[in-house]
Amino acid sequence: QLYQMILQQKSYYELIEENKRLKGLLNLKEKKKEVITIAKVTRTGSNKFLKTFWIDKGYDQGIKAGMPVITLNGLAGKIIFTSSNFSEVLSLTDPNFSVSVRVERTRVEGVVSGTGTNLCVLKYIPLEEDIVVGDILITSGTDGIFPEGIKVGVIRKVERKKGFFQNIEVIPYQSDSKIEDVAIIKSLIWNLYLN
């Protein structure tokens, strides 16, 4: 009976946590008109060359390839394939993923790319630019895909070696292994096309 009660308590806790996440995403949808729909992650991708995951919504719900995918924590990836009721999302940490970003504190712009691990890198930051551990990165909106102001990650490590650019490691705000619910938003390209 005790075991049964513990299991029951755990399932209540799971329901409460899921409810909180979904409420947060619904609030996001009400505040931001660019949210197309909210979806659940159904499984991780099976392609060993890509870091992807699948969601339970597709083109029947208005999703198109290239649309950004976010969570309450920040940027999670972008849609790379859609069927009628499912879509595949390329994760922010995949080496094929890149997004234009801005350092919140200094307004310096660069590009965040995945590494295939749980970290990303910030590219094209000249040696003389002031970048420190703990700096916050947000989308800049200059790539024409991701709207401005979405949280991307935090600077973890900065190295200034010979060459033109700094070597900078980034911890994404949204961990790949902890994504359960997402919001799909209009890309800037689709916003221009639809308006």
Side-chain angles (χ1 to χ4, degrees), residues 10-164:
K10 276 191 173 180
S11 67
Y12 285 143
Y13 175 75
E14 283 291 315
L15 283 171
I16 289 166
E17 286 304 302
E18 183 182 20
N19 196 16
K20 279 184 196 170
R21 281 194 315 274
L22 291 173
K23 254 188 180 169
L25 287 168
L26 283 169
N27 286 342
L28 186 70
K29 189 172 181 178
E30 284 170 22
K31 286 179 200 166
K32 297 192 168 204
K33 289 178 186 160
E34 66 265 16
V35 174
I36 302 290
T37 189
I38 293 161
K40 273 198 160 318
V41 174
T42 57
R43 63 184 173 94
T44 56
S46 54
N47 186 329
K48 62 183 175 183
F49 300 109
L50 296 174
K51 283 189 84 171
T52 64
F53 58 91
W54 288 81
I55 56 173
D56 66 352
K57 300 281 173 74
Y59 56 72
D60 283 356
Q61 291 80 32
I63 297 176
K64 294 176 175 66
M67 287 183 167
V69 177
I70 62 172
T71 68
L72 291 176
N73 296 328
L75 187 63
K78 70 177 179 181
I79 302 291
I80 56 168
F81 171 80
T82 61
S83 67
S84 57
N85 291 300
F86 287 94
S87 297
E88 190 173 14
V89 180
L90 183 68
S91 172
L92 170 67
T93 56
D94 186 276
N96 299 296
F97 187 96
S98 62
V99 56
S100 296
V101 296
R102 184 175 287 131
V103 179
E104 206 170 46
R105 179 178 62 89
T106 62
R107 314 311 283 170
V108 172
E109 293 189 6
V111 173
V112 163
S113 291
T115 61
T117 69
N118 58 348
L119 295 173
C120 293
V121 289
L122 175 59
K123 298 178 176 178
Y124 314 121
I125 303 296
L127 294 176
E128 66 273 10
E129 291 294 350
D130 173 30
I131 303 288
V132 296
V133 171
D135 272 343
I136 292 168
L137 301 176
I138 57 172
T139 53
S140 65
T142 57
D143 53 21
I145 298 168
F146 301 93
E148 186 180 358
I150 301 167
K151 286 186 173 184
V152 176
V154 178
I155 303 294
R156 175 183 182 259
K157 186 177 176 185
V158 180
E159 286 180 348
R160 289 175 176 85
K161 293 183 177 177
K162 286 180 182 175
F164 297 107

Side-chain angles (χ1 to χ4, degrees), residues 9 39 173 182:
Q9 192 175 9
Y173 271 110
V182 296

Side-chain angles (χ1 to χ4, degrees), residues 1-13:
Q1 276 186 326
L2 181 62
Y3 182 68
Q4 216 42 43
M5 284 173 67
I6 290 168
L7 281 177
Q8 212 170 16
Q9 192 175 9
K10 276 191 173 180
S11 67
Y12 285 143
Y13 175 75

